[in-house]
């Protein structure tokens, strides 16, 4: 990564529009980072080696990400956001002596137990005071309940959206709660003229939380009927039984609250049975992935609609992030890479602002650096300048590349959403919604 790109990320007044296409999951990644095996658990350590901020001490934090399994299409897109953030941070350096930030990464294998195992290694063996992760809401909750909460380690999820996270105030996240998304999805389906729907949801915290909000909104607030509302297990080779049960109802719309791999199987089986021509498909952000398009037949889900997280379209920060991303990776990012970028940046700001590199000290400042009472800063360099000039954590208000972070008392940021559809076997993004 050249210095011009680093300065674009670390030195401009940058806050964002969403991209009109998705990251290419199979694109080559070209960065100025090095990856080294860290000794067990499939871990790796990532740090910027060029243009680093000086010879000061190194600060190592942890990340549990989905590098394999059902959530791998989402974990892969986080890698580039993480690397861009590291480059910008280490170009400035942490503290007056320009220390470097390192991230030790463990694979959760898209399972709760895999996430707990990875987090235990990072916390108990590596001693990290702050951990970023994970994609899956159930994985993030399991890590919090089993590892980080009792250990006093700060946890920031980059992608988890289940409303259930709100009940755990010390579990912070960059992506907004799915509660507003579930309500928006119900309104979208109702506004399209559907009064009877069938819902299938993946049997975990993510699926339970989002389906509960959708069903409650659709029935109690919008007067509709949920004729079918059943879970499905992760990682199955066939879901024909679920689809047959949905087809036995009089629902005119089917809502899929599931992951990319599972949805791909459902789309292909639905196409074989001709269901896609008799009902309308709807989904949420987890049914948006390049792998779905690549592994389903053209026309198999044309006309599908849904609600996905987004960044505010009228702000510069995300647009500049997109430009730097495209310059380095020859691909356009989704907002999920921006959430990963912000998670790393907020972690670095907490390290910069804290009195010491400990979980207790980081926890005491991590919310403050994002709150609206402070001066708006649009990147790590601007924020660090305020802090090094005698400013306190509450004197800065980090405006993320994904939009204002503004972590509330529950650890939740505000939400920006966008309506998407599938046309000619491609995702098309339309109107914006603000929670």
């Amino acid at each position: 990564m050249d210095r011009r790109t680093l300065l674009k990320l670390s030195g401009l007044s940058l806050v964002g529009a969403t991209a009109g296409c998705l990251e290419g999951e199979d694109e080559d990644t070209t960065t100025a980072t090095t990856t080294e095996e860290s000794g067990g658990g499939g871990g790796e350590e990532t740090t910027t080696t060029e243009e680093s901020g000086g010879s000061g001490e190194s600060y190592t934090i942890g990340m549990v990400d989905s590098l394999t399994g059902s959530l791998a299409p989402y974990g892969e897109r986080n890698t580039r956001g993480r690397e861009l953030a590291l480059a910008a941070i280490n170009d400035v350096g942490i503290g007056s002596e320009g220390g470097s930030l390192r991230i030790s990464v463990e694979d959760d294998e898209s399972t709760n137990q895999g996430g707990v195992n990875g987090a235990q290694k990072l916390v108990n063996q590596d001693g990290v005071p702050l951990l970023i992760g994970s994609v899956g809401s159930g994985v993030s909750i399991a890590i919090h309940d089993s590892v980080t909460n009792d250990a006093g380690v700060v946890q920031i999820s980059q992608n988890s959206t289940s409303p259930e996270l709100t009940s755990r105030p010390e579990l912070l996240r960059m992506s907004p709660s799915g509660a507003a998304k579930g309500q928006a999805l119900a309104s979208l389906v109702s506004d399209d003229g559907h009064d009877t729907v069938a819902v299938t949801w993946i049997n975990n915290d993510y699926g339970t939380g989002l389906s509960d909000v959708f069903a409650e909104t659709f029935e109690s607030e919008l007067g509709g009927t949920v004729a079918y509302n059943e879970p499905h297990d992760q990682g199955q080779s066939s879901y024909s039984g679920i689809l047959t049960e949905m087809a036995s109802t009089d629902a005119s719309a089917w809502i899929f609250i599931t992951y990319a791999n599972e949805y791909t199987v459902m789309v292909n089986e639905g196409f074989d049975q001709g269901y896609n021509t008799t009902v309308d498909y709807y989904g949420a952000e987890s049914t948006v992935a390049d792998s779905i398009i690549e592994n389903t037949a053209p026309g198999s889900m044309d006309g599908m609609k849904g609600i996905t997280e987004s960044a505010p379209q009228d702000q510069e920060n995300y647009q500049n992030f997109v430009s730097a991303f495209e310059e380095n990776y020859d691909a356009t990012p989704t907002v999920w890479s921006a959430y990963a970028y912000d998670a790393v940046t907020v972690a670095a700001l907490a390290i910069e602002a804290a009195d010491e590199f400990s979980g207790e000290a980081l926890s005491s400042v991590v919310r403050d650096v994002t709150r609206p009472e402070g001066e708006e800063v649009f990147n790590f360099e601007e924020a660090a300048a305020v802090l090094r000039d005698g400013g306190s954590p509450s004197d800065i208000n980090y405006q993320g590349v994904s939009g204002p972070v503004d972590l509330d008392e529950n650890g939740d940021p505000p939400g920006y959403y966008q309506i998407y559809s599938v046309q000619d076997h491609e995702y098309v993004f339309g109107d914006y919604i603000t929670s």
Side-chain angles (χ1 to χ4, degrees):
M1 186 180 301
D2 59 34
R3 186 170 182 84
R4 178 167 57 89
T5 300
L6 288 170
L7 291 175
K8 184 185 299 181
L9 281 171
S10 63
L12 289 177
S13 286
L14 302 173
V15 179
T18 193
C21 60
L22 298 176
E23 295 174 43
E25 293 162 5
D26 56 355
E27 297 282 348
D28 290 336
T29 300
T30 305
T31 68
T33 62
T34 60
T35 302
E36 302 171 355
E37 293 300 323
S38 61
E44 60 183 34
E45 187 173 282
T46 305
T47 180
T48 304
T49 57
E50 296 180 10
E51 307 282 358
S52 61
S55 58
E57 66 179 297
S58 170
Y59 301 88
T60 299
I61 62 175
M63 175 180 280
V64 176
D65 214 348
S66 299
L67 306 180
T68 59
S70 295
L71 296 172
Y74 315 116
E76 289 170 5
R77 63 194 178 191
N78 293 334
T79 300
R80 294 169 177 175
R82 179 184 80 222
E83 290 172 342
L84 283 177
L86 274 174
I89 292 161
N90 286 332
D91 185 55
V92 177
I94 297 177
S96 58
E97 296 183 2
S100 62
L101 179 65
R102 290 179 169 83
I103 302 180
S104 182
V105 183
E106 293 291 326
D107 181 13
D108 63 26
E109 302 172 344
S110 302
T111 67
N112 291 3
Q113 189 58 54
V116 170
N117 292 343
Q120 286 176 333
K121 178 186 180 300
L122 291 167
V123 172
N124 298 332
Q125 295 182 35
D126 299 345
V128 301
L130 186 148
L131 185 147
I132 298 173
S134 182
V135 176
S137 297
V139 182
S140 289
I141 290 171
I143 291 172
H144 171 272
D145 292 353
S146 299
V147 184
T148 58
N149 191 43
D150 290 341
V153 171
V154 176
Q155 183 180 345
I156 305 173
S157 168
Q158 69 269 47
N159 289 170
S160 298
T161 62
S162 171
E164 185 64 23
L165 270 72
T166 300
S167 66
R168 294 163 171 80
E170 297 310 313
L171 176 44
L172 313 176
R173 56 175 157 189
M174 294 296 102
S175 54
S177 168
K181 178 174 57 186
Q183 294 166 353
L185 181 58
S187 296
L188 175 65
V189 175
S190 178
D191 290 345
D192 282 349
H194 299 287
D195 56 17
T196 304
V197 303
V199 183
T200 184
W201 42 277
I202 197 156
N203 195 11
N204 60 20
D205 289 299
Y206 167 75
T208 301
L210 187 53
S211 63
D212 284 350
V213 172
F214 174 88
E216 174 67 21
T217 303
F218 193 77
E219 291 189 320
S220 299
E221 298 183 19
L222 301 174
T225 299
V226 179
Y228 181 89
N229 190 11
E230 295 295 332
H232 58 268
D233 291 331
Q234 189 172 336
Q236 301 299 299
S237 61
S238 174
Y239 295 98
S240 60
I242 294 286
L243 300 182
T244 298
E245 291 174 358
M246 296 172 76
S248 69
T249 71
D250 59 351
S252 58
W254 290 3
I255 289 78
F256 298 93
I257 300 174
T258 189
Y259 296 147
N261 291 353
E262 289 71 18
Y263 183 61
T264 298
V265 175
M266 294 179 186
V267 168
N268 287 330
E269 292 183 332
F271 185 61
D272 289 341
Q273 298 299 316
Y275 295 142
N276 61 301
T277 64
T278 61
V279 297
D280 292 335
Y281 289 178
Y282 290 85
E285 85 294 340
S286 54
T287 50
V288 178
D290 284 355
S291 62
I292 298 173
I293 298 294
E294 293 164 0
N295 294 294
T296 54
S300 58
M301 56 176 177
D302 281 358
M304 179 191 183
K305 291 184 179 180
I307 302 292
T308 184
E309 283 76 2
S310 180
Q313 64 174 331
D314 58 346
Q315 298 179 5
E316 276 187 77
N317 209 0
Y318 186 63
Q319 295 171 351
N320 288 335
F321 169 71
V322 169
S323 297
F325 193 101
E326 291 176 336
E327 182 174 339
N328 282 275
Y329 303 121
D330 193 28
T332 300
T334 63
V335 72
W336 303 97
S337 292
Y339 291 141
Y341 183 101
D342 285 339
V344 175
T345 303
V346 169
L349 289 176
I351 297 170
E352 180 78 33
D355 293 333
E356 61 181 18
F357 189 52
S358 68
E360 182 179 1
L362 295 173
S363 178
S364 69
V365 300
V366 66
R367 278 181 171 84
D368 291 341
V369 298
T370 73
R371 301 295 293 142
E373 292 79 12
E375 175 187 345
E376 289 189 354
V377 290
F378 295 91
N379 50 71
F380 178 79
E381 184 177 34
E382 290 182 358
V386 174
L387 293 170
R388 294 173 193 178
D389 195 35
S392 69
S394 58
D395 288 331
I396 60 173
N397 173 21
Y398 173 62
Q399 301 289 299
V401 297
S402 64
V405 179
D406 294 350
L407 294 174
D408 64 16
E409 66 276 9
N410 297 314
D412 293 337
Y416 294 84
Y417 302 95
Q418 191 174 20
I419 298 172
Y420 73 87
S421 62
V422 179
Q423 300 175 21
D424 297 326
H425 210 57
E426 293 182 354
Y427 295 109
V428 178
F429 296 88
D431 293 337
Y432 289 82
I433 302 167
T434 303
S435 69

